[in-house]
Protein backbone atom coordinates (compact mmCIF):
# COMPACT_ATOMS: atom_id res chain seq x y z
CA UNK A 1 0.00 0.00 0.00
CA UNK A 2 1.16 3.51 -0.77
CA UNK A 3 -0.92 6.49 0.38
CA UNK A 4 1.05 9.11 -1.47
CA UNK A 5 -0.85 11.00 -4.20
CA UNK A 6 -0.60 10.52 -7.96
CA UNK A 7 0.88 13.56 -9.74
CA UNK A 8 -0.79 14.61 -13.00
CA UNK A 9 0.22 17.56 -15.13
CA UNK A 10 -0.65 19.31 -18.37
CA UNK A 11 -0.19 22.68 -20.01
CA UNK A 12 -3.69 23.65 -18.90
CA UNK A 13 -7.10 22.06 -18.69
CA UNK A 14 -6.63 19.08 -21.01
CA UNK A 15 -5.06 16.83 -18.37
CA UNK A 16 -8.34 16.97 -16.48
CA UNK A 17 -9.66 14.44 -19.01
CA UNK A 18 -7.10 12.01 -17.53
CA UNK A 19 -8.05 13.02 -13.96
CA UNK A 20 -11.68 12.22 -14.76
CA UNK A 21 -10.64 8.72 -15.83
CA UNK A 22 -8.49 8.30 -12.70
CA UNK A 23 -11.46 9.32 -10.53
CA UNK A 24 -13.52 6.61 -12.20
CA UNK A 25 -11.02 3.76 -12.23
CA UNK A 26 -9.19 4.58 -8.97
CA UNK A 27 -11.75 6.40 -6.81
CA UNK A 28 -9.72 6.04 -3.60
CA UNK A 29 -6.53 7.65 -4.91
CA UNK A 30 -5.34 11.12 -3.97
CA UNK A 31 -4.31 13.44 -6.79
CA UNK A 32 -2.09 16.47 -7.17
CA UNK A 33 -2.89 18.20 -10.46
CA UNK A 34 -0.74 20.87 -12.05
CA UNK A 35 -2.10 22.87 -15.02
CA UNK A 36 0.25 25.43 -16.49
CA UNK A 37 -2.60 27.78 -17.40
CA UNK A 38 -0.29 30.80 -17.47
CA UNK A 39 1.92 29.31 -20.21
CA UNK A 40 -0.60 27.30 -22.26
CA UNK A 41 -0.36 26.36 -25.12
CA UNK A 42 2.76 24.19 -25.18
CA UNK A 43 1.93 22.70 -28.58
CA UNK A 44 3.05 25.67 -30.65
CA UNK A 45 6.36 26.14 -28.80
CA UNK A 46 9.83 24.86 -29.60
CA UNK A 47 11.01 21.48 -28.35
CA UNK A 48 13.52 23.11 -25.97
CA UNK A 49 10.88 25.32 -24.41
CA UNK A 50 8.43 22.44 -23.94
CA UNK A 51 11.19 20.36 -22.30
CA UNK A 52 12.14 23.17 -19.92
CA UNK A 53 8.50 23.76 -18.97
CA UNK A 54 7.94 20.02 -18.45
CA UNK A 55 11.08 19.82 -16.29
CA UNK A 56 9.78 22.61 -14.06
CA UNK A 57 6.31 21.01 -13.87
CA UNK A 58 7.88 17.73 -12.72
CA UNK A 59 10.02 19.53 -10.14
CA UNK A 60 6.83 21.00 -8.71
CA UNK A 61 5.14 17.59 -8.53
CA UNK A 62 8.20 15.95 -6.95
CA UNK A 63 8.04 18.56 -4.17
CA UNK A 64 4.57 17.17 -3.42
CA UNK A 65 5.96 13.69 -2.80
CA UNK A 66 3.89 11.96 -5.46
CA UNK A 67 4.24 8.18 -5.95
CA UNK A 68 3.91 8.29 -9.75
CA UNK A 69 3.69 10.96 -12.43
CA UNK A 70 1.28 11.06 -15.35
CA UNK A 71 2.26 13.44 -18.13
CA UNK A 72 -1.33 14.03 -19.26
CA UNK A 73 -0.12 16.09 -22.18
CA UNK A 74 0.53 14.74 -25.66
CA UNK A 75 3.00 17.52 -26.37
CA UNK A 76 5.18 16.80 -23.33
CA UNK A 77 4.83 13.05 -23.83
CA UNK A 78 6.14 13.22 -27.36
CA UNK A 79 8.88 15.84 -26.98
CA UNK A 80 10.28 14.93 -23.56
CA UNK A 81 10.00 11.15 -23.65
CA UNK A 82 13.28 10.71 -21.77
CA UNK A 83 12.17 12.77 -18.78
CA UNK A 84 10.91 9.70 -16.93
CA UNK A 85 14.44 8.36 -16.65
CA UNK A 86 15.40 11.33 -14.44
CA UNK A 87 12.60 10.80 -11.93
CA UNK A 88 12.84 8.79 -8.72
CA UNK A 89 9.23 7.61 -9.24
CA UNK A 90 7.47 5.78 -12.06
CA UNK A 91 6.55 8.02 -15.00
CA UNK A 92 3.73 7.45 -17.49
CA UNK A 93 3.15 9.32 -20.69
CA UNK A 94 0.28 9.08 -23.13
CA UNK A 95 2.07 7.85 -26.26
CA UNK A 96 2.76 4.14 -25.73
CA UNK A 97 -0.53 3.13 -24.08
CA UNK A 98 -2.42 5.03 -26.79
CA UNK A 99 -0.47 3.41 -29.63
CA UNK A 100 -1.21 -0.03 -28.16
CA UNK A 101 -4.93 0.72 -27.82
CA UNK A 102 -5.14 2.06 -31.38
CA UNK A 103 -3.64 -1.12 -32.83
CA UNK A 104 -5.89 -3.27 -30.67
CA UNK A 105 -8.99 -1.48 -31.98
CA UNK A 106 -8.06 -1.20 -35.65
CA UNK A 107 -9.09 -3.87 -38.14
CA UNK A 108 -7.78 -2.15 -41.26
CA UNK A 109 -4.57 -0.97 -39.51
CA UNK A 110 -5.20 2.44 -41.02
CA UNK A 111 -4.77 4.78 -38.09
CA UNK A 112 -5.27 8.54 -37.98
CA UNK A 113 -3.25 10.54 -35.46
CA UNK A 114 -4.23 14.02 -34.31
CA UNK A 115 -2.22 16.23 -31.99
CA UNK A 116 -0.65 19.62 -31.52
CA UNK A 117 1.96 20.80 -34.02
CA UNK A 118 4.78 19.85 -31.63
CA UNK A 119 3.35 16.36 -31.10
CA UNK A 120 2.88 15.66 -34.80
CA UNK A 121 6.30 17.05 -35.75
CA UNK A 122 7.97 14.89 -33.11
CA UNK A 123 6.75 11.77 -34.93
CA UNK A 124 6.43 10.03 -31.55
CA UNK A 125 3.04 8.39 -32.22
CA UNK A 126 4.08 7.25 -35.69
CA UNK A 127 7.26 5.67 -34.27
CA UNK A 128 5.39 3.99 -31.41
CA UNK A 129 2.77 2.47 -33.74
CA UNK A 130 5.24 1.30 -36.38
CA UNK A 131 7.49 -0.23 -33.70
CA UNK A 132 4.54 -2.39 -32.65
CA UNK A 133 3.27 -3.11 -36.18
CA UNK A 134 5.47 -2.16 -39.14
CA UNK A 135 2.59 -2.94 -41.55
CA UNK A 136 0.29 -0.30 -40.07
CA UNK A 137 -0.57 2.73 -42.20
CA UNK A 138 -0.50 5.98 -40.27
CA UNK A 139 -2.05 9.35 -41.11
CA UNK A 140 -0.77 12.10 -38.80
CA UNK A 141 -2.46 15.51 -38.76
CA UNK A 142 -1.61 18.54 -36.62
CA UNK A 143 -4.75 20.35 -35.43
CA UNK A 144 -3.36 23.54 -33.83
CA UNK A 145 -6.72 25.29 -33.51
CA UNK A 146 -8.33 22.59 -31.36
CA UNK A 147 -6.61 23.64 -28.11
CA UNK A 148 -7.59 27.33 -28.35
CA UNK A 149 -11.16 26.25 -29.18
CA UNK A 150 -11.31 24.12 -26.03
CA UNK A 151 -9.57 26.65 -23.80
CA UNK A 152 -12.01 29.32 -25.07
CA UNK A 153 -15.06 27.15 -24.44
CA UNK A 154 -16.07 26.47 -28.07
CA UNK A 155 -16.97 22.91 -27.19
CA UNK A 156 -20.59 22.54 -28.28
CA UNK A 157 -20.72 20.02 -31.17
CA UNK A 158 -23.32 22.26 -32.88
CA UNK A 159 -20.98 25.26 -32.77
CA UNK A 160 -20.36 26.30 -36.35
CA UNK A 161 -16.72 27.27 -35.75
CA UNK A 162 -15.92 23.98 -34.04
CA UNK A 163 -17.72 21.98 -36.71
CA UNK A 164 -15.91 23.70 -39.57
CA UNK A 165 -12.51 23.43 -37.87
CA UNK A 166 -13.03 19.71 -37.30
CA UNK A 167 -14.04 19.25 -40.92
CA UNK A 168 -11.07 21.24 -42.25
CA UNK A 169 -8.51 19.20 -40.29
CA UNK A 170 -10.05 15.76 -40.43
CA UNK A 171 -11.44 15.50 -43.97
CA UNK A 172 -8.17 13.99 -45.36
CA UNK A 173 -8.14 11.35 -42.61
CA UNK A 174 -11.77 10.45 -43.18
CA UNK A 175 -11.13 10.27 -46.94
CA UNK A 176 -8.14 7.99 -46.33
CA UNK A 177 -10.50 5.51 -44.66
CA UNK A 178 -8.94 5.30 -41.20
CA UNK A 179 -10.94 3.12 -38.80
CA UNK A 180 -9.24 4.45 -35.66
CA UNK A 181 -8.47 8.06 -34.81
CA UNK A 182 -6.04 8.86 -32.00
CA UNK A 183 -6.94 11.94 -29.98
CA UNK A 184 -3.26 12.55 -29.29
CA UNK A 185 -3.79 15.69 -27.25
CA UNK A 186 -5.60 15.52 -23.92
CA UNK A 187 -7.66 18.59 -24.77
CA UNK A 188 -9.36 16.86 -27.69
CA UNK A 189 -11.79 14.55 -25.83
CA UNK A 190 -13.66 17.71 -24.86
CA UNK A 191 -14.69 18.10 -28.50
CA UNK A 192 -15.00 14.35 -29.02
CA UNK A 193 -18.65 14.60 -29.98
CA UNK A 194 -17.95 17.02 -32.82
CA UNK A 195 -15.04 14.83 -33.98
CA UNK A 196 -17.11 11.64 -33.73
CA UNK A 197 -20.02 13.12 -35.67
CA UNK A 198 -17.71 14.11 -38.50
CA UNK A 199 -15.70 10.88 -38.65
CA UNK A 200 -18.78 8.65 -38.42
CA UNK A 201 -19.71 5.76 -36.13
CA UNK A 202 -17.39 3.22 -37.75
CA UNK A 203 -14.29 5.17 -36.68
CA UNK A 204 -13.13 4.43 -33.11
CA UNK A 205 -11.75 7.41 -31.22
CA UNK A 206 -8.87 6.67 -28.83
CA UNK A 207 -8.63 9.03 -25.87
CA UNK A 208 -4.95 9.34 -24.94
CA UNK A 209 -5.59 10.56 -21.37
CA UNK A 210 -7.85 7.60 -20.69
CA UNK A 211 -5.35 5.06 -22.05
CA UNK A 212 -2.53 6.57 -19.94
CA UNK A 213 -4.74 6.58 -16.83
CA UNK A 214 -5.59 2.90 -17.42
CA UNK A 215 -1.89 2.04 -17.79
CA UNK A 216 -0.99 3.87 -14.59
CA UNK A 217 -3.88 2.24 -12.71
CA UNK A 218 -2.80 -1.21 -13.86
CA UNK A 219 0.78 -0.55 -12.73
CA UNK A 220 -0.26 0.62 -9.25
CA UNK A 221 -2.57 -2.36 -8.85
CA UNK A 222 0.01 -4.94 -9.98
CA UNK A 223 2.68 -3.44 -7.74
CA UNK A 224 0.43 -3.16 -4.67
CA UNK A 225 0.86 0.61 -4.69
CA UNK A 226 -2.77 1.67 -4.37
CA UNK A 227 -3.86 3.66 -1.30
CA UNK A 228 -5.09 1.72 1.71
CA UNK A 229 -8.88 1.43 2.21
CA UNK A 230 -8.84 3.83 5.17
CA UNK A 231 -6.88 6.53 3.34
CA UNK A 232 -8.59 9.92 3.30
CA UNK A 233 -8.65 10.92 -0.37
CA UNK A 234 -7.40 14.40 -1.24
CA UNK A 235 -7.34 16.27 -4.56
CA UNK A 236 -5.27 19.40 -5.00
CA UNK A 237 -5.25 21.57 -8.10
CA UNK A 238 -2.46 24.04 -8.86
CA UNK A 239 -2.36 26.52 -11.74
CA UNK A 240 -0.12 29.34 -12.92
CA UNK A 241 -2.79 31.91 -13.82
CA UNK A 242 -5.89 33.21 -12.05
CA UNK A 243 -7.71 30.14 -10.69
CA UNK A 244 -11.23 31.44 -11.48
CA UNK A 245 -11.26 30.51 -15.17
CA UNK A 246 -9.69 27.16 -14.41
CA UNK A 247 -12.27 26.42 -11.73
CA UNK A 248 -15.18 27.26 -14.06
CA UNK A 249 -13.87 25.02 -16.85
CA UNK A 250 -12.78 22.26 -14.46
CA UNK A 251 -16.36 21.95 -13.28
CA UNK A 252 -17.40 21.27 -16.89
CA UNK A 253 -14.63 18.71 -17.42
CA UNK A 254 -14.98 16.86 -14.13
CA UNK A 255 -18.64 17.33 -13.29
CA UNK A 256 -17.85 18.71 -9.83
CA UNK A 257 -16.25 21.83 -8.44
CA UNK A 258 -12.57 22.13 -7.55
CA UNK A 259 -10.51 24.80 -5.89
CA UNK A 260 -7.44 25.96 -7.81
CA UNK A 261 -4.38 27.45 -6.12
CA UNK A 262 -2.04 29.71 -8.03
CA UNK A 263 1.70 29.05 -7.82
CA UNK A 264 4.84 30.58 -9.30
CA UNK A 265 6.38 27.87 -11.51
CA UNK A 266 9.42 29.99 -12.36
CA UNK A 267 10.73 29.31 -8.84
CA UNK A 268 11.37 25.70 -9.89
CA UNK A 269 14.50 24.61 -11.74
CA UNK A 270 13.88 22.25 -14.61
CA UNK A 271 14.73 18.58 -14.04
CA UNK A 272 15.87 18.32 -17.68
N1 LIG B 1 -3.10 19.08 -23.66
C1 LIG B 1 -1.89 19.18 -24.33
C2 LIG B 1 -1.54 18.02 -25.20
O1 LIG B 1 -2.02 16.97 -24.88
C3 LIG B 1 -1.29 20.43 -24.73
C4 LIG B 1 -1.99 21.40 -25.52
C5 LIG B 1 -1.11 22.60 -25.65
O2 LIG B 1 -0.68 23.11 -24.63
O3 LIG B 1 -0.84 23.01 -26.77
O4 LIG B 1 -0.82 18.12 -26.15
Amino acid sequence: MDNRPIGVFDSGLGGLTAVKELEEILPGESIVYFGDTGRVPYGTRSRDTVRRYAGQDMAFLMEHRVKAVLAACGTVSSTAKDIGERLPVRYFDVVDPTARAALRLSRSKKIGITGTSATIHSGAYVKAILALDPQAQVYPKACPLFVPLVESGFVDPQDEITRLTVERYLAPLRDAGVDVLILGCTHYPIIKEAIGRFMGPEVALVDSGREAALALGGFLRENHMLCSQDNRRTAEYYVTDEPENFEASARLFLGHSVEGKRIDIEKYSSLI
Side-chain angles (χ1 to χ4, degrees):
M1 296 296 157
D2 188 335
N3 286 346
R4 289 177 296 169
I6 298 168
V8 182
F9 77 100
D10 178 46
S11 57
L13 294 163
L16 292 175
T17 56
V19 171
K20 191 167 167 41
E21 297 300 333
L22 286 174
E23 286 182 342
E24 267 172 49
I25 60 177
L26 303 173
E29 294 295 307
S30 294
I31 289 174
V32 176
Y33 183 83
F34 173 75
D36 200 356
T37 51
R39 303 192 294 193
V40 70
Y42 283 10
T44 48
R45 297 184 195 274
S46 71
R47 185 170 178 275
D48 286 351
T49 303
V50 174
R51 288 172 65 79
R52 181 167 63 81
Y53 286 179
Q56 290 178 300
D57 305 348
M58 304 270 196
F60 172 78
L61 288 178
M62 293 320 299
E63 193 183 270
H64 282 73
R65 299 192 58 253
V66 296
K67 63 182 168 190
V69 169
L70 175 53
C73 176
T75 306
V76 169
S77 299
S78 47
T79 53
K81 258 198 138 329
D82 53 321
I83 202 167
E85 293 150 26
R86 320 269 175 108
L87 293 183
V89 298
R90 184 64 190 255
Y91 167 81
F92 287 82
D93 69 35
V94 297
V95 175
D96 294 325
T98 303
R100 280 196 295 275
L103 281 167
R104 205 170 51 239
L105 287 167
S106 178
R107 277 163 286 116
S108 66
K109 304 298 172 204
K110 285 184 167 189
I111 297 172
I113 305 164
T114 58
T116 63
S117 301
T119 295
I120 296 305
H121 290 141
S122 77
Y125 276 107
V126 172
K127 272 183 232 137
I129 292 171
L130 294 181
L132 292 167
D133 183 350
Q135 307 301 327
Q137 286 173 269
V138 286
Y139 300 86
K141 181 74 187 167
C143 307
L145 291 176
F146 283 179
V147 169
L149 281 178
V150 170
E151 294 274 334
S152 317
F154 287 69
V155 297
D156 187 330
Q158 316 271 21
D159 190 296
E160 200 63 356
I161 295 175
T162 308
R163 223 176 42 73
L164 288 173
T165 311
V166 166
E167 186 180 324
R168 173 70 69 93
Y169 285 137
L170 301 185
L173 276 57
R174 193 177 69 173
D175 294 349
V178 302
D179 69 349
V180 165
L181 182 71
I182 289 180
L183 306 181
C185 168
T186 51
H187 280 67
Y188 298 179
I190 304 300
I191 51 167
K192 195 173 183 168
E193 210 175 315
I195 294 173
R197 281 188 194 181
F198 178 72
M199 294 303 287
E202 54 296 318
V203 177
L205 305 182
V206 183
D207 175 337
S208 52
R210 175 179 164 73
E211 296 307 326
L214 287 169
L216 186 147
F219 170 81
L220 294 180
R221 218 172 257 122
E222 277 160 31
N223 290 280
H224 311 290
M225 285 177 68
L226 292 174
C227 289
S228 57
Q229 297 276 355
D230 57 356
N231 179 50
R232 201 177 60 83
R233 180 182 186 274
T234 58
E236 294 168 29
Y237 295 85
Y238 297 92
V239 291
T240 50
D241 200 357
E242 285 305 322
E244 284 75 21
N245 291 345
F246 172 80
E247 288 169 356
S249 309
R251 179 190 283 270
L252 287 178
F253 280 38
L254 296 172
H256 59 78
S257 59
V258 303
E259 195 195 317
K261 294 189 198 96
R262 186 174 184 168
I263 61 119
D264 177 10
I265 195 67
E266 293 300 352
K267 280 194 336 214
Y268 295 82
S269 312
S270 174
L271 294 182
I272 47 172

